[in-house]
Amino acid sequence: MNPNVTRGGRTYGLLAYLYGPGRHNEHIDPHLVASWDGFAPDPGRDPEATVKHLATALDLRVKQIGDRAPAKHVWHCSVRTAPEDRRLSDAEWNMVARRVLHHVGIARDNDADACRWIAVRHADDHIHIAATLVRGDLRRARIDRDWPKAQAACRSLEKQLGLRRLNPGDGTAAKRSTAAERHKAERVGRTETPREKLRTKVRQAMAAAGTETEFFDGLIGAGLRVKLRRAPSGDVLGYSVALPGDHNAEGDPVWFAGATLAPDLSLPQIRRRLDAVAPDEAGQRLERPDRPRSAAARRGATAHFDAVLVVLGREEDRAADDLSGVAAVVDALAATSAQSTRAELLAAAGAFERATRSHVRAAQADRLALHTAARRIMRAGKALGRGEDGDATAMLLSTLILTTFAIARWHAARGHAQQATAARQAAVHLRAAYRQAAATPMRRLRQQATHIPAPARRRYDNAIRTALAASDRGTQGPMPALAATLATAEAAGHAPDDLLRRAIGQRELATADSVEDVLVWRVRRLADLPAAPESTPVAKQRPPTSEAQRQGMPTVTESRRRPRPPH
């Protein structure tokens, strides 16, 4: 049950909308379900009553108080049930309205001087509560924190009425698009409102920026209109952005200040984060020079998440230092991803930004590593989505999924219900993007596994089972892609047993959708193997490095050279 609170200065205008057809003829049978005394005129059911009669009755005390009335004397709250909830009766909606008004303080039970109010129903799933904020004793109604109090009332009503239990708000969420913004987007055929699109663009510019100048240049480079607010000294105090072509009725651009897009996109918050960003590293070698820049940037980012998972596993408050960095990496991936994964990554970035804000304050400045990694991804440019950079995307996504689940647990342990839900939603989108990115490399690895000689394959399978059993992961099915990766790593001179032990020991496998996939990418990164598997299996191996080989078990090369027994 979701309340939405606004204030205004025109009682008649609000009632005309509530009893009218709606913007899309969606209002059906508008009528009163409750009022301050139970006898208010109802233009929906009483042919003798009009909207003007009802407005006059509601405004009686406002007129009596005269100039002392507040400019915005109309309090409006819509209360909506979830799509899967049952249909409430008018009597139940009557109780909902009274409970909300009591909690907010506009009309407490047994208060003879409470404000005048009504509750109008014109749809199955919601009501509108309208009240005028002058009491019967002609004093202004004193209400504060009305939205959190309305939220608390709804949480109690959900339990009592057997409705879907929503997460309680904590005042850290970004401001939602207004109904007018949503209807405007529908009229012009946009799938998202200007506020939502601008929020995405500003976050991506933030992920790429190392300085305040780079941030503003990034906004302009993304095609946004930018307006700076300056002090008389010329110092920049704030900024606003607008979409080209988005105008109001007067033809002026519709500007959004950074703080109205999200609390952490205000200029002071952006400066705080930029102060913690490392100096420009343009030209610094990211990894091996034979790798594409986009692939190297993604592999480099993956390595930083090991430390994040350790802190999250310890349930320390300082994990808050890393949340904005994780968000920056997701934003950077969404901005530079291939077309096949872009929609899911944009959805993941939009969901995860809610998980970055809570009342737990970072104990120190944001750590540099993840923000620097995000900048590298942005500066490396668009990824093709195939070959080394596409498979490096799958490698990074595999780690990001586990990280977001760990962040969800971290929030849940602190009672941050909305942030935990947001992190889990982001993980769902990241998993969908991962499946798309990993389909080709995993298929190629499984094909490689069919070329491994049987003795060597048995050795790898046994090593995998032993390592997982030792880590309490239990019995797992065949893992051909992991066996093929171990064969390639052994050919490059690595000990498979050691790689497996290290890969499994890097924490967080419990939430893995596929343990095999996670271990494949960890082993490839630990052994510094290309993210993109070769199209043909490796036929050459280095001298034996494992204890099993030293005891005489055949290697891949040895088994190929062994002559076949005579028939």
Side-chain angles (χ1 to χ4, degrees):
M1 187 173 285
N2 185 32
N4 183 36
V5 176
T6 59
R7 297 194 192 187
R10 296 181 62 244
T11 307
Y12 180 86
L14 173 59
L15 297 181
Y17 168 73
L18 297 181
Y19 278 95
R23 293 184 175 89
H24 304 282
N25 294 314
E26 72 273 22
H27 295 178
I28 301 173
D29 185 25
H31 62 279
L32 289 182
V33 295
S35 66
W36 72 93
D37 61 358
F39 299 101
D42 184 359
R45 296 287 175 86
D46 183 356
E48 301 296 326
T50 66
V51 170
K52 184 176 181 180
H53 291 153
L54 182 56
T56 299
L58 281 170
D59 277 339
L60 175 64
R61 291 164 177 170
V62 177
K63 299 297 184 183
Q64 290 175 337
I65 199 175
D67 294 341
R68 293 186 294 121
K72 292 188 175 182
H73 64 271
V74 182
W75 187 87
H76 173 216
C77 176
S78 62
V79 183
R80 187 180 302 271
T81 56
E84 64 269 27
D85 284 335
R86 64 181 178 85
R87 177 178 176 177
L88 300 184
S89 67
D90 282 358
E92 288 173 318
W93 278 121
N94 182 312
M95 180 185 67
V96 168
R98 293 181 183 278
R99 183 77 61 83
V100 169
L101 290 163
H102 173 79
H103 273 69
V104 171
I106 290 176
R108 296 194 182 279
D109 297 341
N110 302 318
D111 182 358
D113 288 322
C115 298
R116 293 192 167 196
W117 60 273
I118 60 167
V120 177
R121 181 179 189 179
H122 55 208
D124 288 342
D125 64 347
H126 70 279
I127 59 168
H128 292 264
I129 305 170
T132 48
L133 299 178
V134 179
R135 292 170 45 82
D137 53 15
L138 300 187
R139 291 185 299 162
R140 291 186 181 190
R142 293 190 175 183
I143 56 174
D144 61 319
R145 293 179 50 79
D146 49 354
W147 182 78
K149 291 176 180 177
Q151 282 268 347
C154 287
R155 299 295 81 79
S156 172
L157 287 162
E158 288 164 358
K159 183 177 181 180
Q160 180 178 345
L161 297 172
L163 305 178
R164 176 187 172 190
R165 305 283 294 277
L166 299 182
N167 294 322
D170 61 2
T172 62
K175 186 176 180 180
R176 298 174 57 191
S177 298
T178 64
E181 292 169 4
R182 294 193 297 272
H183 293 317
K184 182 179 179 180
E186 292 175 7
R187 287 197 305 271
V188 300
R190 290 177 177 155
T191 58
E192 56 184 348
T193 65
R195 184 189 300 272
E196 293 165 343
K197 190 173 185 64
L198 288 169
R199 186 181 296 140
T200 298
K201 293 291 186 182
V202 173
R203 288 195 176 282
Q204 291 176 353
M206 183 65 238
T211 65
E212 189 172 320
T213 300
E214 287 181 358
F215 170 66
F216 290 128
D217 288 346
L219 295 178
I220 296 171
L224 305 184
R225 303 186 67 170
V226 181
K227 179 172 64 175
L228 303 182
R229 181 167 58 88
R230 296 183 180 273
S233 62
D235 295 336
V236 178
L237 300 178
Y239 74 98
S240 299
V241 288
L243 287 177
D246 185 27
H247 301 94
N248 58 22
E250 290 73 32
D252 298 323
V254 180
W255 296 99
F256 292 84
T260 65
L261 297 177
D264 53 340
L265 293 182
S266 66
L267 187 57
Q269 290 297 321
I270 286 173
R271 283 172 171 164
R272 174 183 174 274
R273 194 181 306 178
L274 289 173
D275 287 343
V277 172
D280 190 3
E281 297 178 354
Q284 179 175 336
R285 184 171 65 87
L286 299 179
E287 273 201 19
R288 285 187 353 200
D290 59 327
R291 288 180 177 144
R293 284 180 58 83
S294 58
R298 283 158 167 72
R299 289 179 66 103
T302 305
H304 296 307
F305 282 95
D306 293 340
V308 176
L309 285 168
V310 169
V311 176
L312 288 167
R314 293 173 180 165
E315 295 289 338
E316 298 176 359
D317 280 354
R318 69 187 183 99
D321 298 331
D322 292 315
L323 299 186
S324 65
V326 175
V329 172
V330 179
D331 287 329
L333 272 180
T336 61
S337 62
Q339 190 66 38
S340 59
T341 57
R342 186 169 304 159
E344 292 292 349
L345 287 174
L346 284 170
F352 189 76
E353 64 95 15
R354 179 68 185 93
T356 64
R357 295 188 302 276
S358 70
H359 291 300
V360 176
R361 291 289 175 259
Q364 58 189 358
D366 293 336
R367 283 192 272 191
L368 306 180
L370 292 177
H371 290 287
T372 302
R375 279 172 55 217
R376 289 177 173 181
I377 292 172
M378 291 290 288
R379 294 185 176 189
K382 298 276 186 180
L384 296 176
R386 57 182 183 272
E388 179 72 5
D389 64 2
D391 295 353
T393 298
M395 177 183 288
L396 177 53
L397 286 174
S398 175
T399 303
L400 266 175
I401 293 166
L402 300 180
T403 304
T404 51
F405 274 117
I407 289 171
R409 287 200 302 271
W410 183 86
H411 276 305
R414 285 155 179 76
H416 304 161
Q418 292 196 6
Q419 291 86 343
T421 299
R424 286 190 288 266
Q425 289 172 344
V428 170
H429 292 296
L430 290 172
R431 269 182 172 163
Y434 170 79
R435 292 188 188 105
Q436 182 68 34
T440 297
M442 285 299 164
R443 183 172 60 251
R444 194 178 300 139
L445 282 169
R446 292 184 180 102
Q447 289 172 348
Q448 283 187 20
T450 63
H451 295 278
I452 300 176
R457 176 63 187 274
R458 286 195 296 270
R459 178 163 54 84
Y460 295 132
D461 289 344
N462 184 62
I464 293 169
R465 284 194 300 269
T466 302
L468 288 173
S471 66
D472 297 325
R473 289 298 304 167
T475 303
Q476 301 284 332
M479 296 187 176
L482 181 54
T485 297
L486 291 174
T488 304
E490 189 171 27
H494 297 278
D497 295 342
D498 181 59
L499 284 175
L500 278 172
R501 179 182 54 78
R502 291 167 60 194
I504 294 172
Q506 286 183 334
R507 301 175 182 273
E508 188 51 50
L509 281 173
T511 54
D513 197 28
S514 168
V515 173
E516 180 185 23
D517 284 28
V518 173
L519 294 179
V520 161
W521 297 120
R522 287 183 181 177
V523 168
R524 298 192 79 84
R525 184 167 58 79
L526 288 169
D528 198 27
L529 301 177
E534 298 175 0
S535 57
T536 56
V538 177
K540 181 181 179 181
Q541 289 193 332
R542 301 257 180 116
T545 54
S546 69
E547 183 63 29
Q549 289 175 294
R550 286 193 290 270
Q551 292 177 0
M553 296 185 67
T555 66
V556 175
T557 306
E558 290 170 346
S559 61
R560 285 177 179 166
R561 291 174 179 172
R562 183 173 297 167
R564 293 183 179 180
H567 292 288

